[in-house]
Amino acid sequence: MNERACRVCKRLIEEGNECDVCKSNDLTTNWKGVIVVFSPDSEIAKKAGIAVPGKYALQVM
Ligand SMILES: [Zn+2]
C-alpha cells in the first residue's frame, strides 16, 4: 500500500501532495485500515465524522 492518508481528516490520497477534502499537505504512509464511505448520511460516516464520500484510513499514526 503506497497510498497516503491525510493526518487532518484521514482521507486516503492516491495522487498529488494535497488532501482533496481539507487541502492539507500533512500526509503520511503510516496508517492502518480502510473505511469506504458511499454516503455522508450513512451510519459509518456519521460515526467517523466524514462529510465527503470516499476512502479513509481507520487509524492514522
Ligand atoms: Zn484532509
Side-chain angles (χ1 to χ4, degrees), residues 11-36:
R11 187 168 176 95
L12 294 179
I13 311 302
E14 286 169 28
E15 276 176 32
N17 291 307
E18 186 181 87
C19 173
D20 324 326
V21 176
C22 68
K23 305 299 176 196
S24 164
N25 54 17
D26 190 4
L27 309 179
T28 178
T29 51
N30 203 2
W31 54 271
K32 266 194 223 165
V34 177
I35 310 174
V36 181

Side-chain angles (χ1 to χ4, degrees), residues 35-47 50-54 56:
I35 310 174
V36 181
V37 172
F38 296 103
S39 160
D41 296 323
S42 64
E43 218 40 34
I44 191 164
K46 282 180 186 161
K47 234 175 156 179
I50 292 166
V52 181
Y56 292 81

